[in-house]
Amino acid sequence: MSTSANKTFDRPGVADYEKRRYRGLDQRLVDFREKRILRRILHGLKKEGGPAWERDGAALILDAPCGYGRFSGLLLGEGVRLVSSDLAFPMVERAVEKNEGPWHVGGAAADFRRGLPFKPGVFDYVFSMRLFHHLHAVEDREAVLREFARVAKEGVILSFYRGKGIHAFQRKLRRLFKRTQRTIKMVPRATFEKEAAAAGFTIERVVPLFRGIHAQHIAVLKKVSRG
Ligand SMILES: C[S@@+](CC[C@H](N)C(=O)[O-])C[C@H]1O[C@@H](n2cnc3c(N)ncnc32)[C@H](O)[C@@H]1O
């Protein structure tokens, strides 16, 4: 099966993907729930305050990967300044044109495993939804987390699939009957913590998408202060 993570996109491909990806009821539910959790996380961070929100009145966030800009509207609606990045340039183009405006500062295509084309500490937060579970090699996950730690001053909001026996078993069963279903990299909480710590993060909170029935979790990682 070709997925957003392994497909080479052109403009019509992006348009088609955008039209179909969150069309089914189950996917609309996932989309709804992700956005609800993310809004709560952003409100929590704003309430906490700190330099990201106080400096110029708006945090600068890197949406990485931005995909077709599913979260651009939500982020801009929360009053942040936004940069969009993705492996696929047509995705970046779509994300930027979808929510054009002075607060959508720009976009850049990059393979995050090889590095992000930004200076150290230019963003307050990196926002990374639905990438981590496509990174199967531990070296890739660690390289991406290190890059996020390099470019973000405060932290990262990131989704991952937490591997627990029951979820892995359910997926194996589904793949057995539906041969095309893609493999998702699930990582146990302890492994995720270890990989995050190696990149210089502590885990502030982890929110399950649907507790007990869905393996996706959304984590807030904060930079460990080295002072
Ligand atoms: C499942 S989509 C998620 C997009 C968006 N965050 C969302 O949740 O709608 C995964 C995205 O990751 C991008 N991607 C996959 N591997 C990547 C890599 N190594 N570096 C940068 N982006 C990557 C793909 O191009 C795709 O747009």
Side-chain angles (χ1 to χ4, degrees):
M1 182 186 190
S2 81
T3 72
S4 64
N6 62 18
K7 193 174 161 182
T8 310
F9 282 99
D10 53 13
R11 289 302 303 248
V14 171
D16 187 55
Y17 177 75
E18 181 172 353
K19 206 162 72 192
R20 291 167 188 274
R21 178 63 181 87
Y22 289 92
R23 201 167 51 175
L25 183 62
D26 55 340
Q27 291 308 309
R28 275 188 282 151
L29 202 60
V30 165
D31 177 66
F32 172 80
R33 179 79 182 138
E34 283 176 344
K35 286 178 175 158
R36 195 181 160 109
I37 293 170
L38 290 167
R39 263 192 210 100
R40 281 197 188 144
I41 287 175
L42 286 166
H43 291 173
L45 291 175
K46 272 195 225 171
K47 216 162 156 190
E48 258 174 39
W53 311 97
E54 284 154 15
R55 208 178 29 258
D56 329 293
L60 181 61
I61 292 192
L62 174 68
D63 185 6
C66 57
Y68 60 80
R70 187 162 65 100
F71 296 107
S72 318
L74 181 153
L75 291 164
L76 292 163
E78 292 299 329
V80 308
R81 290 173 297 142
L82 186 64
V83 174
S84 296
S85 189
D86 199 284
L87 180 65
F89 183 67
M91 287 284 197
V92 179
E93 276 185 310
R94 175 65 186 136
V96 172
E97 83 179 14
K98 196 178 161 85
N99 282 284
E100 260 175 331
W103 292 63
H104 204 166
V105 184
D111 183 340
F112 305 161
R113 293 168 301 182
R114 299 192 177 168
L116 286 160
F118 304 107
K119 289 187 180 163
V122 286
F123 299 101
D124 293 301
Y125 284 92
V126 172
F127 178 87
S128 185
M129 286 297 290
R130 297 192 147 269
L131 172 67
F132 213 65
H133 60 274
H134 291 303
L135 302 174
H136 285 244
V138 57
E139 305 79 47
D140 287 344
R141 293 196 299 276
E142 285 179 351
V144 169
L145 282 172
R146 271 199 309 274
E147 270 305 274
F148 287 172
R150 188 183 64 78
V151 299
K153 277 195 285 279
E154 301 273 329
V156 176
I157 302 162
L158 168 150
S159 76
F160 72 104
Y161 274 59
R162 181 173 157 183
K164 266 204 191 161
I166 185 68
H167 294 133
F169 178 67
Q170 279 169 353
R171 284 199 76 84
K172 265 189 195 147
L173 260 188
R174 267 187 253 139
R175 282 178 52 215
L176 202 67
F177 292 109
K178 195 177 167 196
R179 292 194 169 276
T180 52
Q181 194 179 32
R182 65 195 181 275
T183 46
I184 277 182
K185 181 65 191 173
M186 299 207 187
V187 289
R189 167 86 187 229
T191 308
F192 181 65
E193 266 173 33
K194 203 170 125 219
E195 292 176 2
F201 291 112
T202 52
I203 298 181
E204 194 178 83
R205 57 188 290 219
V206 175
V207 186
L209 192 72
F210 295 108
R211 190 180 299 280
I213 52 172
H214 199 294
Q216 194 187 188
H217 288 64
I218 299 178
V220 180
L221 310 181
K222 287 285 181 83
K223 290 270 290 276
V224 178
S225 93
R226 308 209 182 264

